[in-house]
């Protein structure tokens, strides 16, 4: 950094200390600017939280949520992707129903009904895939771009404005000891930064109809999903009702037990009703000695060194979805990432996966 740059950093730091500690007053920005800055801040918080909640709404399972977030933008062009690459719960249920329906066979009313329901569930999974991709394309990605580009750019302009304000206020209070030309340049830079920040905030707030359009796309995708889901479920309900009518119109088959065959007990050959007695094993001195020995202790579960982020399992956790990490009470798990306020990602015995925070006690937290 040049000498002039070091001096400027010193000026800003000195002015900041005098304002925070000494109570000195800096140049005040006008009320319109402050109101605009407040609205931008509220917009930024709204977009960030709505993004997180939308992804959670689409996929409550954290493993699928992570895959949804990682969907590549280029591959999501309409028509290029047919599924997001993770199983939907409706599809898993459909596969389960079809498997058991086939096992029960065509002679079973319940088996045939399971096959019908399973096919409908798989169709629902395909519709859910389309919903996820549509919402990702037309709602999540545009809002994410707003966060990564426009809002980040505004924050950069505001930070630069604050730095130039501190530099100008430092020089203004030392007028006479600082050359007039240097003070004039500091004022010009401050006003230039203020104008740039104002323009970027104004453009964001004036074009918020784009966010309304994106919200409309979210609602349209949901409507389309629910319309198709209703149609699929209506067709399934009709099939099941038709099966019930057909089953009730058929005559019931009466159960006729087969005649019992006579069973001749014959002459008893053994004192216990004809079954040979198993000979009791002989207890030798050596076997008696071994049984009195203490059992060999199994080695305790491997524990990661406590200088890395880790947690201890309070209860057993059985994974119910793909990507979840199962463990037993007392296991010590290495923490690798925090998905959200309820789920962690970690490693145990060489396997990686997601698990709920409520099942563990954090020993060494993840770095902030």
């Amino acid at each position: 950094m040049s000498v002039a740059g070091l001096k400027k950093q010193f000026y800003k730091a000195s002015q900041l200390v005098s304002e925070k500690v000494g109570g000195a007053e800096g140049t005040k920005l006008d009320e319109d600017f402050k109101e605009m800055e407040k609205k931008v801040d509220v917009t930024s918080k709204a977009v960030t939280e709505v993004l997180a909640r939308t992804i959670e709404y689409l996929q409550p399972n954290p493993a699928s949520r992570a895959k949804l977030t990682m969907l590549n933008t280029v591959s999501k062009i309409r028509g290029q992707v047919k599924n997001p690459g993770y199983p939907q719960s409706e599809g898993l249920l459909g596969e389960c129903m079809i498997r058991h329906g086939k096992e029960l066979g065509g002679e079973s009313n319940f088996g045939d009904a399971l096959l019908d329901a399973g096919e409908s569930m798989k169709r629902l999974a395909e519709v859910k895939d389309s919903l996820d991709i549509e919402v990702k394309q037309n709602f999540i990605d545009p809002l994410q771009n707003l966060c990564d580009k426009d809002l980040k750019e505004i924050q950069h302009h505001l930070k630069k404005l604050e730095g130039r304000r501190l530099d100008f206020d430092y020089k203004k209070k030392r007028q006479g000891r600082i050359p007039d030309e240097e003070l004039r340049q500091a004022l010009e830079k401050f006003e230039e930064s203020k104008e740039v920040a104002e323009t970027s905030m104004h453009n964001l707030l004036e074009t918020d109809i784009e966010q309304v359009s994106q919200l409309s796309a979210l609602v349209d995708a949901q409507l389309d999903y629910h319309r198709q889901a209703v149609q699929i479920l209506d067709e399934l309900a009709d099939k099941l009702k038709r099966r019930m009518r057909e089953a009730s119109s058929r005559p019931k088959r009466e159960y006729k037990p087969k005649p019992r065959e006579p069973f001749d007990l014959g002459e008893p050959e053994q004192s216990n009703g004809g079954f040979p007695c198993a000979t009791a094993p002989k207890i030798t001195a050596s076997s008696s000695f071994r049984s009195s020995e203490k059992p060999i202790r199994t080695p305790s579960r491997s524990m990661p060194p406590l200088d890395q982020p880790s947690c201890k399992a309070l209860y057993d956790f059985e994974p119910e979805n793909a990507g979840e990490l199962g463990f037993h009470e007392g296991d010590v798990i290495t923490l690798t990432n925090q998905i959200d306020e309820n789920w962690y990602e970690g490693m145990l015995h060489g396997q990686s996966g997601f698990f709920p925070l409520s099942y563990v006690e954090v020993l060494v937290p993840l770095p902030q």
Side-chain angles (χ1 to χ4, degrees), residues 331-368:
D331 282 343
V332 176
I333 305 156
T334 303
L335 296 174
T336 56
N337 189 20
Q338 183 166 2
I339 302 301
D340 55 27
E341 64 270 17
N342 298 316
W343 288 81
Y344 273 124
E345 181 181 9
M347 291 191 67
L348 178 65
H349 305 319
Q351 292 188 344
S352 176
F354 303 92
F355 55 90
L357 174 61
S358 57
Y359 277 68
V360 299
E361 174 191 4
V362 176
L363 301 176
V364 180
L366 286 161
Q368 296 296 324

Side-chain angles (χ1 to χ4, degrees), residues 106-118:
E107 295 181 359
S108 164
N109 291 320
F110 183 43
D112 287 339
L114 279 176
L115 289 172
D116 289 339

Side-chain angles (χ1 to χ4, degrees), residues 5 40 49-50 58 72 104 118 128 133 159 162 194 196 199 204 209 228 255 266 270 291 311-312 341-342:
V40 167
E49 187 165 358
V50 166
L58 288 176
N72 157 343
L104 286 168
K128 185 67 165 55
I133 292 169
K159 186 176 179 181
E162 178 63 9
K194 180 175 178 290
V196 170
T199 303
L204 175 76
I209 192 64
Q228 293 185 63
Y255 172 69
Q270 302 290 341
S291 65
C311 63
K312 182 177 180 182
E341 64 270 17
N342 298 316

Side-chain angles (χ1 to χ4, degrees), residues 91-328:
L92 297 174
L93 175 59
E95 289 171 4
C96 168
M97 288 178 167
I98 290 172
R99 184 173 67 252
H100 290 295
K102 288 178 178 177
E103 288 175 358
L104 286 168
E107 295 181 359
S108 164
N109 291 320
F110 183 43
D112 287 339
L114 279 176
L115 289 172
D116 289 339
E119 289 298 335
S120 296
M121 288 298 137
K122 290 182 74 174
R123 287 173 63 196
L124 281 175
E126 291 174 3
V127 176
K128 185 67 165 55
D129 283 342
S130 300
L131 171 69
D132 285 3
I133 292 169
E134 283 290 325
V135 173
K136 186 77 168 63
Q137 280 181 329
N138 301 320
F139 183 70
I140 293 175
D141 283 351
L143 286 187
Q144 190 64 57
N145 185 58
L146 181 70
C147 280
D148 296 341
K149 187 180 176 185
D150 297 346
L151 290 169
K152 192 175 283 187
E153 185 179 315
I154 289 172
Q155 291 305 316
H156 168 73
H157 291 320
L158 290 172
K159 186 176 179 181
K160 192 171 185 180
L161 171 64
E162 178 63 9
R164 288 184 169 179
R165 181 195 68 77
L166 290 170
D167 180 60
F168 168 65
D169 284 344
Y170 178 88
K171 291 173 180 176
K172 183 172 67 172
K173 289 183 179 179
R174 285 155 184 80
Q175 194 171 5
R177 287 176 286 170
I178 294 221
D180 290 344
E181 179 61 21
E182 194 172 333
L183 180 61
R184 186 185 61 78
Q185 287 178 359
L187 176 60
E188 284 180 358
K189 286 182 178 180
F190 166 66
E191 289 178 341
E192 178 190 340
S193 286
K194 180 175 178 290
E195 185 177 342
V196 170
E198 262 181 335
T199 303
S200 61
M201 289 191 294
H202 173 80
N203 291 340
L204 175 76
L205 296 174
E206 285 299 309
T207 56
D208 63 348
I209 192 64
E210 292 179 13
Q211 284 77 65
V212 179
S213 170
Q214 290 146 14
L215 193 58
S216 175
L218 168 67
V219 174
D220 287 342
Q222 288 174 303
L223 274 172
D224 188 45
Y225 163 73
H226 287 294
R227 283 193 196 103
Q228 293 185 63
V230 166
Q231 182 180 351
I232 292 168
L233 292 174
D234 276 342
E235 291 173 5
L236 174 60
D238 289 341
K239 283 183 183 179
L240 296 178
K241 286 173 184 174
R242 187 165 58 250
R243 286 194 181 280
M244 288 189 289
R245 285 195 300 270
E246 290 172 359
S248 61
S249 64
R250 286 196 296 264
K252 292 184 179 179
R253 293 179 297 178
E254 292 185 5
Y255 172 69
K256 293 181 180 180
K258 293 180 181 179
R260 296 181 182 180
E261 296 181 1
F263 181 66
D264 186 11
L265 293 174
E267 293 295 327
E269 294 180 1
Q270 302 290 341
S271 59
N272 66 342
F275 295 97
C277 295
T279 56
K282 293 182 180 179
I283 300 175
T284 62
S286 60
S287 65
S288 174
F289 173 75
R290 282 197 301 271
S291 65
S292 65
E293 289 178 350
K294 293 182 178 178
I296 299 172
R297 285 180 133 186
T298 57
S300 60
R301 296 187 179 99
S302 59
M303 290 180 61
L306 292 182
D307 59 346
Q308 61 181 334
S310 56
C311 63
K312 182 177 180 182
L314 300 175
Y315 320 100
D316 292 352
F317 175 64
E318 293 294 333
E320 296 180 357
N321 298 292
E324 293 180 349
L325 178 68
F327 49 76
H328 298 287

Side-chain angles (χ1 to χ4, degrees), residues 81-95:
V81 171
K82 293 183 180 177
N83 63 72
Y86 49 81
Q88 301 286 0
S89 54
E90 294 89 346
L92 297 174
L93 175 59
E95 289 171 4

